[in-house]
């Protein structure tokens, strides 16, 4: 049996009131769909491309990106946010896991990002954190990892498999258009169920 990552599945999703409290605590807007990226901020994570995607959707008012973490690209992200006037981006330093999970749980979409030049498969463990809080997931990855196809086949997200800024933009527009529908609610449910069925540690 193939088990790329594993965890003891626990549903730690938040109620709507709990989400509101967390957003207010971190000064996050209540009226936007928050796309969260959490984890290492290094070259393997394709952060430069992710920032290009964020710049390419500056005109979509309903969207906010939240990047949480640290790494070699952290200062570059801060610099480019200022240079490119990325008002749709908030950057936060690394949080303790329990606190990160709360912020993730108050968000709307989890983001996985990997450099498109990878020739060996990587399977980001951050996916499990998103699934524990019932987040649908947008994967922006190379074609050699199974994570994007798993997300699509599992019915809990999207994969930017063409890996272009316009590909990502089109997906984000689609997400916003369908967000307040049963389709998204089903993806949230599928996210946690896929975690239980495929990444759980059992006797």
């Amino acid at each position: 049996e193939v088990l790329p990552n594993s965890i003891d599945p626990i549903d730690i999703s938040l109620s709507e009131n709990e989400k509101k409290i967390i957003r207010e605590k971190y000064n996050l807007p209540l009226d936007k769909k928050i796309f969260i990226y959490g984890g290492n901020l290094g070259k393997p994570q394709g952060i430069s491309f992710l920032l290009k995607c964020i710049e390419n959707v500056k005109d979509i008012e309903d969207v906010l990106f939240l990047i949480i973490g640290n790494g070699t690209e952290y200062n570059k992200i801060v610099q480019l946010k200022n240079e490119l006037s990325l008002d749709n981006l908030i950057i936060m330093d690394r949080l303790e896991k329990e606190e990160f999970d709360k912020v993730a749980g108050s968000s709307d979409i989890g983001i996985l990002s990997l450099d498109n030049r990878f020739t060996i498969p990587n399977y980001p463990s951050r996916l499990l954190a998103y699934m524990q809080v019932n987040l649908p997931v947008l994967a922006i990855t190379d074609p050699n990892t199974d994570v994007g196809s798993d997300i699509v086949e599992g019915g809990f997200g999207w994969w930017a498999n063409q890996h272009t800024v316009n590909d990502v933009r089109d997906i984000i527009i689609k997400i916003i258009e369908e967000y307040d529908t049963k389709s998204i609610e089903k993806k949230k449910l599928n996210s946690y169920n896929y975690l239980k069925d495929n990444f759980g540690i059992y006797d």
Side-chain angles (χ1 to χ4, degrees):
E1 180 173 342
V2 176
L3 194 63
N5 283 305
S6 57
I7 197 172
D8 184 11
I10 301 173
D11 186 340
I12 53 174
S13 57
L14 304 181
S15 68
E16 291 304 314
N17 186 56
E18 288 171 327
K19 292 178 182 179
K20 182 174 182 289
I21 291 171
I22 294 299
R23 288 202 186 193
E24 289 176 342
K25 176 179 178 179
Y26 287 97
N27 295 315
L28 300 172
L30 300 175
D31 60 344
K32 293 184 183 294
K33 296 294 182 287
I34 296 180
F35 288 66
I36 183 172
Y37 170 87
N40 189 41
L41 304 176
K43 293 187 183 298
Q45 284 71 44
I47 299 301
S48 294
F49 180 75
L50 179 59
L51 288 177
K52 290 178 183 178
C53 295
I54 292 172
E55 181 185 17
N56 194 41
V57 295
K58 284 199 302 184
D59 59 311
I60 304 178
E61 296 181 357
D62 293 342
V63 172
L64 177 77
F65 293 87
L66 175 60
I67 293 179
I68 302 176
N70 53 25
T72 58
E73 302 295 285
Y74 183 89
N75 291 334
K76 180 179 180 180
I77 296 171
V78 174
Q79 179 183 347
L80 286 175
K81 170 179 167 59
N82 296 327
E83 290 179 358
L84 301 175
S85 300
L86 298 179
D87 297 330
N88 60 338
L89 170 62
I90 292 176
I91 305 166
M92 294 170 56
D93 205 343
R94 179 182 177 276
L95 295 172
E96 294 298 323
K97 183 184 184 309
E98 182 177 349
E99 203 61 20
F100 173 84
D101 288 342
K102 290 179 181 178
V103 176
S106 74
S107 302
D108 300 290
I109 304 290
I111 293 178
L112 297 180
S113 179
L114 290 172
D115 192 295
N116 191 47
R117 295 169 294 180
F118 270 122
T119 58
I120 57 174
N122 290 271
Y123 212 98
S125 60
R126 183 61 63 179
L127 174 65
L128 306 187
Y130 296 152
M131 299 167 87
Q132 280 200 294
V133 294
N134 297 199
L135 281 190
V137 181
L138 167 58
I140 307 170
T141 72
D142 61 276
N144 295 299
T145 174
D146 295 334
V147 68
S149 56
D150 284 351
I151 288 169
V152 172
E153 291 169 9
F156 62 97
W158 308 263
W159 179 28
N161 56 2
Q162 296 181 38
H163 209 89
T164 68
V165 292
N166 287 331
D167 180 29
V168 175
R169 177 185 172 85
D170 290 345
I171 293 173
I172 289 173
I173 291 173
K174 179 182 178 181
I175 291 171
I176 297 304
E177 288 176 348
E178 69 173 288
Y179 198 85
D180 295 315
T181 67
K182 290 182 179 179
S183 171
I184 293 293
E185 290 305 312
K186 186 175 181 180
K187 282 182 170 63
K188 292 178 180 178
L189 181 63
N190 288 345
S191 183
Y192 182 68
N193 285 338
Y194 196 90
L195 174 73
K196 289 192 301 179
D197 294 342
N198 295 276
F199 300 103
I201 302 172
Y202 301 106
D203 295 333

